Amino acid sequence: VTVAQNHSVFGWWRTIDDETGKATSVIEIFEKHNRIYGRIIELLNSKARNPKCEKCDGDDKNKPIIGLIVLRGLKKDKDGSYSDGKILDPKHGKVYKCNLSLETRDKLKVRGFIGINLLGRTQFWERVKG
């Protein structure tokens, strides 16, 4: 990992549940066709061995949660943050609008919302080191 990569959103991130404060999964953030995506690569507290996204709709319904694309189509803004994307909450099967921004090189602010940015929730994800 180069220094330049440490100042980007790309890589592996530990998701932290904003209600419990516990780490729940590891997401790999990557770029495809000039857009940002994120897939679940590990579930940290799952009791099920290979849980499926039972509450998801459409193509994601009953797909394995590991490997599921949960961040979709974000684009980079002039200020270095990312917007105009969607985030899937596999626990509830809901899709929200989403913005991302680096707070520090190891802390990612993830904002999911309905309609306008004020009506939403924020999580802070931690970069996986190693």
Side-chain angles (χ1 to χ4, degrees), residues 31-43:
E31 187 173 15
K32 182 174 156 189
H33 306 302
N34 293 321
R35 296 281 181 151
I36 303 299
Y37 294 86
R39 80 169 58 91
I40 296 176
I41 56 171
E42 185 180 353
L43 292 174

Side-chain angles (χ1 to χ4, degrees), residues 57-111:
D57 290 327
D59 290 344
D60 291 330
K61 181 139 187 80
N62 292 321
K63 266 194 180 165
I65 290 179
I66 293 176
L68 197 64
I69 303 288
V70 292
L71 289 174
R72 296 175 192 260
L74 288 111
K75 67 176 195 218
K76 191 166 191 172
D77 296 329
K78 287 184 176 71
D79 67 0
S81 63
Y82 295 84
S83 63
D84 282 348
K86 302 237 183 282
I87 188 166
L88 167 67
D89 174 357
K91 189 178 3 175
H92 302 104
K94 303 257 191 267
V95 176
Y96 303 96
K97 292 180 179 178
C98 178
N99 297 333
L100 301 178
S101 59
L102 279 174
E103 292 281 295
T104 68
R105 74 179 199 195
D106 293 328
K107 186 176 182 183
L108 183 66
K109 180 180 179 182
V110 181
R111 178 89 179 144

Side-chain angles (χ1 to χ4, degrees), residues 28 40 73 114:
E28 177 189 20
I40 296 176
I114 301 169

